[in-house]
């Protein structure tokens, strides 16, 4: 089980004094990817107009454009609710990027009251993400969004 409290402290130390949005997002993704086990893809999709566009990530090259409401990412963005998907094949409209992915979690990112994008994490194992992972990841994302308050995202 990931130590999300420790991860939060590490994220805060790494990002607290960094004004640049791109550098912060890239380091946030790298920190999470290396802290979580059994993950094959982890990255950000950025809200650009009315679609999500691929941002900093770790893993295989991925699909670049996702429409609001489409796939797991677009559903999280449209509903503003974390999508925790134990079996991606059972999720209607799931968008395949890495065929190795079996389970997925997507957390909406909201800065200063505005949706700015989502954090997307894929695992090659079914049911990889527990309710505790969801709570921990939501906390770490809230911390990241808080650190970007007044500074913008990407
Ligand atoms: N599976 C996602 C697409 C993004 S990739 O997993 C990196 C979805 O259904 O939105």
């Amino acid at each position: 089980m990931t130590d999300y409290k420790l991860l939060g402290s590490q994220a805060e130390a790494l990002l607290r004094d960094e004004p640049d949005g791109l550098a912060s997002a890239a380091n946030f993704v790298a920190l999470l990817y290396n802290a979580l086990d059994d993950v094959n893809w982890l990255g950000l999709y950025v809200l650009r107009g009315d679609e999500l566009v691929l941002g900093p990530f770790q893993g295989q090259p991925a699909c670049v454009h996702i429409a609001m409401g489409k796939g797991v990412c677009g559903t999280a963005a449209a509903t503003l609710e974390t999508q925790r998907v134990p079996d991606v094949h059972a999720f209607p409209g799931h968008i395949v990027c890495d065929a190795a992915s079996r389970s997925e979690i997507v957390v909406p990112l909201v800065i200063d009251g505005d949706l700015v994008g989502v954090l997307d994490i894929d695992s090659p194992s079914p049911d990889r993400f527990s309710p505790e992972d969801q709570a921990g990841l939501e906390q770490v994302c809230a911390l990241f969004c808080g650190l970007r308050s007044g500074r913008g995202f990407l």
Side-chain angles (χ1 to χ4, degrees), residues 76-116:
T79 61
L80 295 175
E81 282 180 4
T82 299
Q83 301 295 304
R84 191 168 62 86
V85 181
D87 174 4
V88 294
H89 299 309
F91 188 96
H94 169 255
I95 300 164
V96 178
C97 288
D98 184 341
S101 300
R102 287 288 176 275
S103 59
E104 181 165 3
I105 188 165
V106 181
V107 182
L109 301 174
V110 176
I111 298 177
D112 297 329
D114 295 323
L115 176 75
V116 296

Side-chain angles (χ1 to χ4, degrees), residues 44-47 52 76-77 106-110 114-119 153:
L44 302 176
Y45 279 89
V46 185
L47 184 64
L52 296 168
V106 181
V107 182
L109 301 174
V110 176
D114 295 323
L115 176 75
V116 296
V118 299
L119 170 72
F153 183 40

Side-chain angles (χ1 to χ4, degrees), residues 2-3 11 24-25 27 41 46-47 65 70 83 85 87 89 91 97 106 120 125 129-130 144:
T2 306
D3 184 342
S24 292
N27 259 344
W41 198 95
V46 185
L47 184 64
H65 301 275
K70 298 291 181 192
Q83 301 295 304
V85 181
D87 174 4
H89 299 309
F91 188 96
C97 288
V106 181
D120 179 17
S125 298
F129 304 102
S130 66
F144 173 76

